[in-house]
Amino acid sequence: MTPSQIALVQESFAKVAPISDHAATIFYGRLFEIAPQVRAMFPDDLTEQRKKLMATLAVVVNGLSNLPAILPAASALAKRHVNYNAKPEHYPVVGAALLWTLEKGLGEAWTPEVADAWTAAYGTLSSFMIAEAYGNAQAAE
C-alpha cells in the first residue's frame, strides 16, 4: 500500500466511525445476503459482534501506517477464526461485503481512489491472515 492509499483508508474510515453500529449492521446484513451459509458461524444476537468488528477495523485502519505493529494481532485473529470454521474462501466474501458497506456508507465520498485503497488494504491484510491461518499455499489461491 502506498502512503496516499493509507491516508485515504484512514480518512474514509473516520467518516464511517460515527455510524459504526449502523455500518456493522449493514455489513452483516450484506454478508448474510451474499453468503447465507456463514450465518451459522455467528451468534443470534450480533450486538457484541458488531462492536468487535468495528473495534478491530479501527485498530487495523489506524495501524496501517505501521503495519508490522498490527500483524501479530492479525495473525492471532486469523488463527482464532479457524476455530470458528472460517475458511480461506470466506475472506473474499467478507471483503466484498465490507467494500459494499463502505460504498453505501460513504456515498459520494466513495471514489475510485478510495475503492482502490480499501481493496489494497483488505487484500494485504486478508492474504496475510490466510497465510498465517492456513499456510502460504492457500493465500496464493
Side-chain angles (χ1 to χ4, degrees):
M1 292 189 67
T2 67
S4 63
Q5 286 178 316
I6 292 169
L8 283 172
V9 168
Q10 292 172 336
E11 291 164 9
S12 59
F13 186 74
K15 295 174 184 172
V16 174
I19 58 160
S20 62
D21 190 60
H22 183 65
T25 299
I26 292 170
F27 167 79
Y28 284 110
R30 180 64 175 172
L31 178 63
F32 301 150
E33 179 184 323
I34 62 175
Q37 68 277 13
V38 304
R39 180 62 183 97
M41 298 167 66
F42 294 90
D44 290 337
D45 182 354
L46 292 171
T47 304
E48 287 303 311
Q49 188 65 36
R50 289 192 306 263
K51 291 177 186 174
K52 287 178 186 177
L53 169 69
M54 296 311 290
T56 301
L57 277 173
V59 168
V60 169
V61 166
N62 292 327
L64 285 176
S65 51
N66 185 11
L67 204 53
I70 62 169
L71 291 181
S75 175
L77 181 64
K79 291 171 185 171
R80 279 196 312 274
H81 276 81
V82 172
N83 295 328
Y84 306 139
N85 295 317
K87 307 280 185 241
E89 58 269 20
H90 293 138
Y91 283 79
V93 177
V94 168
L98 176 63
L99 295 176
W100 186 87
T101 300
L102 290 163
E103 180 180 2
K104 298 302 172 207
L106 290 168
E108 290 182 7
W110 183 255
T111 64
E113 294 79 18
V114 171
D116 288 346
W118 273 98
T119 300
Y122 187 79
T124 297
L125 200 62
S126 65
S127 293
F128 173 79
M129 290 175 70
I130 292 168
E132 288 293 295
Y134 308 101
N136 287 322
Q138 291 290 327
E141 291 179 11

